[in-house]
Amino acid sequence: MGKYDLLPCPFCGEDVYLDRVPLWKSYNGITHGYYGDYEFDVHCRNPECGCNISLIKNNTIYYNEEEARLNAIQQWNRRA
């Protein structure tokens, strides 16, 4: 297993995906938030399961993009 591989959902066994979520929103041409920064979350693909993991302060404000991505993957894979 490589360092970027995600284990299946521990609850339903389905595949999961890593979501790169922007930390800004734009309304009527005005941008609010941290433009150019992202957080990384892991979500189960099964809509009936809804399992996910979001880490506090695991974003590109505090870490470079690779570190933030790896933090989310490692935390997900620690679940049993």
Side-chain angles (χ1 to χ4, degrees), residues 9-80:
C9 178
F11 300 104
C12 71
E14 291 289 326
D15 288 336
V16 298
Y17 65 95
L18 183 68
D19 194 13
R20 182 178 182 234
V21 182
L23 295 178
W24 72 92
K25 304 271 188 217
S26 293
Y27 299 104
N28 297 326
I30 300 171
T31 301
H32 298 278
Y34 297 95
Y35 185 78
D37 286 308
Y38 300 88
E39 70 180 11
F40 295 89
D41 304 326
V42 179
H43 300 274
C44 179
R45 292 190 186 276
N46 181 353
E48 294 176 6
C49 178
C51 183
N52 66 57
I53 189 170
S54 299
L55 304 174
I56 297 171
K57 294 186 179 180
N58 182 52
N59 53 49
T60 57
I61 296 170
Y62 298 99
Y63 300 98
N64 68 45
E65 190 163 330
E66 182 177 358
E67 288 174 325
R69 183 184 309 268
L70 281 174
N71 288 341
I73 292 169
Q74 289 171 347
Q75 289 301 313
W76 176 266
N77 288 343
R78 288 180 48 181
R79 301 175 74 176

